Amino acid sequence: MREVAVLAAGGASVDQFALGYWMIALSLGISVLGAVVGLACIVHGARSVQFRLVWLVSAAISLGGVGAWLATSVAMLGLKVPGSAMRYDPGRLIAALVVSIVAVFAALLIIGRTPRLTLLLPGGLVLGLGIGVTHYLGIGSLEIQGSVGMTIWLASVSAVIGVITATATLWLFQTMRFPLARAATVLLFGVGVSATYYTALAALHFDVDRTAKVPGGVELFDFVFPMFVIGLLALTVPISAVLIAPDRRELAGPPKVRRPKLQPVR
């Protein structure tokens, strides 16, 4: 029999893995997939001039929309508050998605094309805080029969984890370019996003009132499943672009050597 992982919080025991622990692997896999595609778009954006903004937008959608927002929204499907109906505010869920994408895009504009510590730190701060705000908007969209509170120090820890994850991801990706380092980078991003989410969830506590009215809003599955399909389909666009985009380093080729013109012999 599966042991139920619960948070003893307020007046309710919150089951984080009501659908099973496999949801952790699914959420992590989605986050890593978004990171792989997003970081590949960043590489092409650094080499491109004409289409740089297009690559950065694709990276923001992949990293922020899929790697952060969609991954944690899927993880939220496993959340259950016993004794209470659960509904979600679609406005806050959409706001969380927008914040996540905008935060990634802004961070990429800040750090620029080449690694510089003076730009990396503010870029990591913007990205990390954006991920943190995304989690709190997503989790904060939850409405129950009763009230939801927050433990401030755990919320602060979650924000710190997000900033460390974002800064380390950007630093590793810009400075360590061999395949094993790139694999470690995307795994770090996925694990960091997951750690930020579960720490943010641990900061919440729920007081259930069974006599309260069933809250308004939508069932999370009814909102997340269409977004899951749309998100995975959306990834096919940057994936296709990455596969067919020319490698500008190869196209550039070796530098041309100018040969002196031979003067005719008189």
Side-chain angles (χ1 to χ4, degrees), residues 65-236:
V66 176
W69 181 86
L70 183 59
T72 52
S73 296
V74 167
M76 285 169 58
L77 290 172
L79 180 64
K80 181 179 180 182
V81 180
S84 174
M86 299 170 58
R87 298 292 186 272
Y88 291 81
D89 180 358
R92 290 191 180 185
L93 290 173
I94 293 173
L97 173 61
V98 172
V99 167
S100 187
I101 293 175
V102 171
V104 175
F105 183 73
L108 295 180
L109 288 179
I110 291 172
I111 64 174
R113 298 174 184 267
T114 57
R116 283 179 287 179
L117 187 61
T118 54
L119 298 179
L120 181 63
L121 294 178
L125 181 64
V126 169
L127 178 54
L129 292 179
I131 292 174
V133 172
T134 296
H135 291 340
Y136 283 108
L137 283 173
I139 296 173
S141 68
L142 171 61
E143 299 178 359
I144 65 170
Q145 292 172 272
S147 60
V148 181
M150 179 183 296
T151 304
I152 300 300
W153 73 268
L154 274 175
S156 302
V157 170
S158 175
V160 171
I161 293 174
V163 172
I164 293 174
T165 297
T167 305
T169 298
L170 295 175
W171 178 78
L172 280 174
F173 185 75
Q174 284 196 327
T175 58
M176 306 293 181
R177 301 185 179 184
F178 50 93
L180 185 59
R182 290 288 167 87
T185 301
V186 297
L187 184 59
L188 169 66
F189 180 82
V191 172
V193 167
S194 181
T196 307
Y197 161 73
Y198 284 110
T199 306
L201 185 58
L204 301 183
H205 51 86
F206 304 89
D207 292 311
V208 175
D209 181 2
R210 298 174 186 270
T211 63
K213 183 181 178 181
V214 174
V218 299
E219 296 276 357
L220 185 60
F221 183 83
D222 294 339
F223 185 88
V224 171
F225 181 73
M227 297 302 292
F228 176 80
V229 175
I230 293 172
L232 295 186
L233 289 176
L235 283 183
T236 61

Side-chain angles (χ1 to χ4, degrees), residues 21 47 60 63 95 105 115 186 194 217 237 244 248 262:
Y21 294 110
R47 301 172 185 169
L63 272 174
F105 183 73
V186 297
S194 181
V237 176
I244 66 176
R248 292 169 177 81
L262 297 178

